[in-house]
Amino acid sequence: MRINKYISETGYCSRRETNRLIAAGRITINGRLCEEGADVEPEDIVLIDGKEIPVNDCEPVYLALNKPIGIVCTAAEQVEGNIIQYVNYPSRIFAIGRLDKASEGLIFLTNDGDIVNKMMRSEHNHDKEYVVTVDKPVTDEFVRAMSQGVEIMNVVTKPCEVYKHSENVFRIILTQGLNLQIRRMCKALGYRVLKLERIRIMNVTLSGLERGQWRHLEKQELEKLLSMLNRERH
């Protein structure tokens, strides 16, 4: 099993966070520094900071947070304003995906490594909906260009749904998660993002969550979310 999958399934941290730990030289396998992409056998001894990985015997936790601006989506304790310290949940959890520091809105946190892996696989095309305020009027040409795909970072973004909401505000539904994607798309078209809020991930919305608040996913929400993810495996 790949080291990233192995550690994420313990509930210690996500696959992405595992890469950061590897780069920092904090993971060893059988006493040797772990390299990115390493495989782990059942008999191997994996340590983080010289200690065994805690066994995750807690009940699965699935949280929805309305992230404020300024909170950083990392579990790194040395980062001021990191999302884990902000939520201050009594057991170990980690964020699914990211919202950049200057953005706000819906993000999930969990101790379930399996759901993280399913949601982070880009080929699953999970809907994420955002409301975006820009520095000048949203034109029909802008909406058309955004929806058809914009060249950023030497790739053309996937076609997506874009709707004008008001003079300087639009809604966008992405099935892609490139780094700072919406901000880069807008910049490529001569616009600057003033406010970016994620309002929905798949079937879960911000409904009932004030800025900075978190809640457990409701039973029906979670069942539908897991059902959608499980269907995608077939």
Side-chain angles (χ1 to χ4, degrees), residues 11 22 28 35 42 54 70 73 86 120 142 149-150 162 170 173 179 221:
I22 293 171
T28 59
E35 296 181 358
C73 293
Y86 178 80
M120 294 299 286
F142 172 82
V150 180
V162 182
F170 68 94
I173 301 173
N179 186 35
E221 283 179 321

Side-chain angles (χ1 to χ4, degrees), residues 12 23 34-35 44 50 66 77 83 111 124 142 147 153 197 231 233:
Y12 184 87
C34 174
E35 296 181 358
D44 288 337
N66 189 345
E77 294 179 359
I83 194 168
N111 60 358
H124 281 165
F142 172 82
S147 62
M153 301 185 293
E197 180 182 25
R231 281 201 305 270
R233 292 188 299 177

